[in-house]
Amino acid sequence: QAPMLNEKDPAAQAQGYVADAKKVDAKKWPKYAAGQVCSNCALYQGKPADKAAACPLFAGKQVAGAGWCNAWVKKA
Ligand code: SF4
């Protein structure tokens, strides 16, 4: 299993990734809307119920299902 993406990783910070979407700084990241989480993002590589999964944006790492980043895209 790949290690979890650290919020302090420069790649994570560049995209505003946080492991808990409730902690998004909405002033800094105005695209964020309540209800958006990694597990309902189109890029999330796990099942919606998975606590963590890969994301192609952060190769070699796993992101938290409850996380969020600025590249969030609604699942089709
Ligand atoms: Fe989470 Fe989607 Fe951002 Fe990947 S692209 S970190 S799954 S919100």
Side-chain angles (χ1 to χ4, degrees):
Q1 283 260 319
M4 291 301 294
L5 176 65
N6 190 309
E7 293 179 0
K8 294 190 171 68
D9 183 305
Q13 295 212 318
Q15 292 291 345
Y17 171 80
V18 286
D20 179 354
K22 293 189 183 74
K23 292 182 179 149
V24 174
D25 180 346
K27 284 202 182 93
K28 194 170 174 192
W29 304 102
K31 272 174 65 185
Y32 174 73
Q36 297 178 354
V37 285
C38 288
S39 64
N40 65 20
C41 169
L43 279 74
Y44 194 65
Q45 300 296 297
K47 296 189 186 78
D50 290 347
K51 290 216 177 342
C55 168
L57 222 65
F58 303 106
K61 298 281 165 63
Q62 292 197 92
V63 296
W68 182 89
C69 93
N70 197 47
W72 185 90
V73 185
K74 189 179 163 69
K75 208 179 270 185

